[in-house]
Amino acid sequence: MSAGDARSPRSLLVTGGAGFIGSAFIRYLLGPAAFAGRVTNLDLLTYAGNLENLAALAADARYRFVRGDIRDGELVGRLVEEREVDTIVHFAAESHVDRSIVAPGAFIDTNIVGTFQLLEAARRVPALHFHHVSTDEVFGSLGPTGAFREDTPYSPNSPYSASKAASDHLVRAYAHTYGINVTLSNCSNNYGPYQFPEKLIPLMIMNLCEGKPLPVYGDGLNVRDWLYVDDHVEAIWTILRRGRAGETYNIGGEGERTNLEVIRLLVANVARETGKPAAELERLVTFVKDRPGHDRRYAIDFSKLKSELGWLPRHDLERGLADTVRWYLSSPEWIEHVRTGAYRAWLETNYAAR
Ligand code: NAD
Ligand code: DAU
């Protein structure tokens, strides 16, 4: 298929749909995108999976949640068959770099073996389309200039990014060897509502609200390219429908900032929303030991996605961060359930562990 001929999925299997980006994708699909087909959300509900992210859709007739593991090939194969799945959108992963440094095993199991099991199921259904959601971290770390392009050589530096790179290679190999229809996307750092507070932005917002130290790794001058999560999911939907089969698309936010610049913007927003003095909040910044192997800079060249498919980010970082801070300040129940682990109590009563 060439760019411009739209695919029209009827039955989607979304993996990891209870996580931060997967849940934004499902909310987008069943909301603004007005998707009329079926969505099956396969999620294991690890610590990062939270069905409260999708509470408003629980009764939607188009939507079904299945608690299960992408590594369970029999379950995946059965779902694809029973639900007549024509498209898999693969978000499920272990996603946090610091966790991958402390305990890499789960990253190998979920990100590599899990992707393998999904591909095995996909290759039994010839016309099925597989969209693989990946990261810019597979390209490694940049110096002060330049940006990752789709043809930048892979050079992953953490167990997380190495496991994602391995999964990207599996997807390419299955397309090449078995003729599976695939598209891939490699995206920069996301932020927005419902992000688990282990990642920089929600962690800093919550600590600012509670007057806790803001732990800045190293000198705080590492650069990330920040993208609002709703813009990411719109890009995925665009690629899924109109991207060329077998192609990779980079997705970025034109939002390059040092970590300290991001934290200062968060300080300004929290000060404005709460009336707390900015100088007092700024004093919470605490420089701590650096992350081992910490990538210095990421930047994304997304001109391919822009020129072929016309996608552009809608939110600039200033507006996106203001919206995000307001969302966290107006969602005390979600925060409390995440902080106390109460979002998991619901899980134990409704979905006994397999
Ligand atoms: P997340 O950690 O918030 O969510 C991951 C989800 O996957 C959770 O709901 C979890 O329960 C589920 N999951 C984990 N292991 C599973 C398994 N074995 N079987 C089924 N479900 C399982 O992650 P996220 O930030 O939403 O990231 C989603 C995807 O996007 C990942 O593939 C990640 O690599 C990629 N990505 C993330 C970012 C970012 O900034 N967060 C940027 C680019 C790409
Ligand atoms: O680039 C895309 C990637 O972005 C995704 O693939 C990952 O899933 C996602 O977690 C994210 O990885 P990062 O490591 O860039 O994100 P994190 O929020 O963990 O850290 C962002 C930057 O902030 C990084 O330079 C480390 C720094 N940091 C992070 C935390 C949690 C701190 O200085 N202090 C902190 O407490």
Side-chain angles (χ1 to χ4, degrees):
M1 139 164 190
S2 61
D5 305 334
R7 295 182 189 90
S8 303
R10 280 169 290 107
S11 180
L12 294 182
L13 177 63
V14 177
T15 72
F20 165 51
I21 306 173
S23 66
F25 180 71
I26 294 176
R27 291 193 303 274
Y28 170 74
L29 212 56
L30 300 181
F35 179 63
R38 285 194 296 221
V39 178
T40 308
N41 174 13
L42 173 63
D43 196 300
L44 186 58
L45 299 181
T46 67
Y47 78 95
N50 185 347
L51 288 177
E52 291 181 21
N53 300 356
L54 293 161
L57 299 171
D60 192 307
R62 295 168 294 173
Y63 171 72
R64 183 169 147 202
F65 173 70
V66 176
R67 188 185 181 203
D69 195 328
I70 56 168
R71 293 168 298 178
D72 182 344
E74 190 271 326
L75 170 68
V76 172
R78 183 156 43 81
L79 282 177
V80 167
E81 197 178 320
E82 280 175 10
R83 302 281 290 169
E84 296 176 341
V85 169
D86 56 28
T87 307
I88 295 178
V89 193
H90 178 31
F91 293 93
E94 289 290 339
S95 69
H96 190 42
V97 173
D98 293 328
R99 283 180 190 260
S100 86
I101 294 168
V102 175
F107 288 73
I108 306 305
D109 284 348
T110 292
N111 299 358
I112 305 178
V113 178
T115 302
F116 157 72
Q117 289 294 358
L118 291 168
L119 289 165
E120 279 293 291
R123 83 178 170 103
R124 292 195 286 271
V125 185
L128 190 141
H129 183 81
F130 189 99
H131 181 79
H132 183 58
V133 178
S134 194
T135 169
D136 61 357
E137 297 200 12
V138 299
F139 300 120
S141 184
L142 290 164
T145 59
F148 300 131
R149 293 162 40 93
E150 287 80 1
D151 56 5
T152 300
Y154 275 32
S155 184
N157 286 321
S158 70
Y160 162 69
S161 53
S163 68
K164 291 296 292 186
S167 69
D168 292 11
H169 290 319
L170 279 173
V171 174
R172 285 161 191 272
Y174 270 63
H176 184 80
T177 304
Y178 303 112
I180 296 181
N181 299 304
V182 302
T183 43
L184 299 91
S185 51
N186 291 84
C187 187
S188 60
N189 286 61
N190 283 216
Y191 69 98
Y194 301 101
Q195 187 168 29
F196 192 82
E198 63 188 355
K199 308 280 165 65
L200 179 76
I201 287 177
L203 178 75
M204 295 295 160
I205 297 173
M206 284 176 58
N207 285 8
L208 280 165
C209 292
E210 293 168 16
K212 289 185 181 163
L214 310 176
V216 177
Y217 299 165
D219 60 8
L221 298 180
N222 302 68
V223 173
R224 298 292 183 264
D225 174 10
W226 294 96
L227 176 68
Y228 194 68
V229 65
D230 290 359
D231 290 335
H232 184 187
V233 301
E234 194 171 36
I236 290 171
W237 187 229
T238 303
I239 296 165
L240 190 59
R241 284 178 310 138
R242 296 194 287 112
R244 282 185 289 141
E247 291 289 318
T248 291
Y249 293 86
N250 280 355
I251 310 173
E254 290 175 333
E256 267 192 71
R257 299 286 192 287
T258 66
N259 293 335
L260 279 174
E261 285 171 332
V262 169
I263 291 167
R264 289 201 183 104
L265 282 169
L266 293 172
V267 164
N269 276 284
V270 172
R272 193 184 57 245
E273 295 294 327
T274 62
K276 290 183 186 168
E280 191 181 295
L281 294 175
E282 184 109 24
R283 278 198 290 277
L284 296 171
V285 168
T286 307
F287 289 92
V288 300
K289 204 163 144 260
D290 208 354
R291 170 187 280 175
H294 197 173
D295 284 339
R296 191 62 171 171
R297 176 171 166 264
Y298 304 145
I300 280 267
D301 175 344
F302 61 88
S303 50
K304 178 176 173 183
L305 179 57
K306 184 175 159 185
S307 64
E308 279 190 21
L309 303 179
W311 176 88
L312 280 174
R314 292 179 194 270
H315 298 73
D316 64 28
L317 188 64
E318 280 68 21
R319 182 185 143 207
L321 282 184
D323 289 353
T324 303
V325 166
R326 273 195 292 274
W327 184 85
Y328 278 91
L329 290 174
S330 62
S331 308
E333 200 175 323
W334 186 90
I335 289 174
E336 189 58 16
H337 288 177
V338 167
R339 194 205 326 267
T340 60
Y343 71 109
R344 304 194 59 76
W346 181 91
L347 164 68
E348 301 316 330
T349 43
N350 288 278
Y351 290 94
R354 289 167 62 86

